[in-house]
Amino acid sequence: MRYLILSDLHSNGEALAAVLSRVRRRHYDRLVVLGDFVGYGADPNGVIDRVRHLRRRKILVRGNHDRVASGLDPGGLFNPVALAAARWTAETLTAANRQFLADLPVGPIEVEGRFVVCHGSPFDEDAYIFSDVDAAWSFRTIGLDLCFFGHSHIPSVFTLEPDGIGVDVVRGGRQRLKLETGRRYLINPGSVGQPRDRNIDAAFALYDGDEGFVEFERVPYDVARAREKILRAGLPGALGDRLLLGA
Ligand SMILES: [Fe+2]
């Protein structure tokens, strides 16, 4: 079984289109989305519609932006830029897509006995996994040896080994990680719509559950068009100028 793993799409229709185009001829059986379909970007309905209409079995969890944009949470903990984007998103969503977000399951979810998926961390969808200490708490929470998470927007691998926890940021183009038996992994595929690792290309991963490897990949997309749409929508300029560009 092969899984396409996406996270933090953030209403970036151009980035999602580039990713789906890149994998069109690659085999995968399931689509996994680790939350934050919306927020920051200008194409929330386009992104949700593309995911909804993809003819694959889907395993989806909600992110913190999905929770706020769908009206389940007033967003009291959001910074002003995120809150402005969430409010704009809430007004822009169709009723069907708002309901889609509101109905998304909350992680963690176990998938087919193979791995766990969550947004921020297995113990709290709003918590970030940046360090070995964050990872240690997460490893204690999950019952399987593999967990995919998002939220930090940084492609990364935390490996529980006999002598401690390895912390690796995944850099560059396509990278293959062979999963070793006896080790445990927390893996972030990076963000489709708003990378935060100073690489503007959309990030995603493919997991082959039979062969036991994860492939990380980056794909360029039409950043200028996505930025233009953000500015035209009246979303905070910083989104187009800084966050979207990953600077
Ligand atoms: Fe996010």
Side-chain angles (χ1 to χ4, degrees):
M1 196 72 71
R2 284 172 65 92
Y3 305 82
L4 174 62
I5 317 272
L6 307 181
S7 192
D8 296 279
L9 290 68
H10 282 295
S11 299
N12 189 332
E14 286 72 22
L16 177 60
V19 169
L20 294 179
S21 172
R22 171 68 67 88
V23 299
R24 190 167 293 142
R25 289 192 181 79
R26 312 260 289 275
H27 168 69
Y28 63 96
D29 308 282
R30 309 264 194 265
L31 170 69
V32 176
V33 182
L34 306 171
D36 279 2
F37 290 75
V38 301
Y40 297 128
D43 199 5
N45 290 308
V47 163
I48 295 171
D49 287 343
R50 281 224 61 180
V51 170
R52 289 173 69 187
H53 294 131
L54 208 69
R55 280 178 286 171
R56 291 287 195 291
R57 192 175 152 208
K58 302 176 189 83
I59 299 118
L60 313 174
V61 292
R62 78 172 185 197
N64 52 322
H65 287 258
D66 305 324
R67 190 181 71 224
V68 174
S70 62
L72 296 173
D73 169 353
L77 296 177
F78 269 25
N79 68 59
V81 170
L83 191 57
R87 286 180 175 153
W88 178 89
T89 302
E91 290 167 7
T92 305
L93 284 169
T94 63
N97 285 341
R98 187 176 309 112
Q99 195 62 47
F100 168 86
L101 292 182
D103 290 342
L104 286 170
V106 183
I109 295 174
E110 281 194 14
V111 181
E112 296 163 355
R114 292 177 186 270
F115 58 92
V116 174
V117 295
C118 63
H119 182 60
S121 82
F123 58 86
D124 180 351
E125 65 183 349
D126 289 285
Y128 290 92
I129 303 176
F130 282 128
S131 71
D132 55 350
V133 175
D134 304 331
W137 282 106
S138 297
F139 280 123
R140 275 183 211 176
T141 309
I142 56 173
L144 297 171
D145 290 339
L146 176 62
C147 172
F148 291 98
F149 69 98
H151 196 40
S152 71
H153 298 208
I154 296 174
S156 43
V157 180
F158 297 83
T159 311
L160 183 61
E161 300 170 345
D163 58 347
I165 294 174
V167 180
D168 296 286
V169 174
V170 180
R171 299 194 185 280
R174 191 182 294 183
Q175 308 278 334
R176 179 178 284 209
L177 171 72
K178 176 75 183 151
L179 303 179
E180 310 283 348
T181 32
R183 294 186 177 179
R184 307 184 72 206
Y185 296 90
L186 292 160
I187 294 178
N188 188 326
S191 168
V192 171
Q194 196 197 78
R196 293 180 188 164
D197 59 348
R198 294 183 176 267
N199 177 351
I200 63 173
D201 293 345
F204 66 96
L206 281 159
Y207 166 52
D208 188 316
D210 301 321
E211 300 294 324
F213 65 81
V214 177
E215 268 181 357
F216 297 87
E217 197 158 332
R218 305 301 284 253
V219 57
Y221 69 95
D222 193 343
V223 174
R225 187 171 154 79
R227 179 176 181 274
E228 170 66 25
K229 283 161 74 172
I230 284 171
L231 296 176
R232 206 168 344 117
L235 285 157
L239 296 175
D241 294 337
R242 186 170 62 80
L243 292 178
L244 184 65
L245 295 172

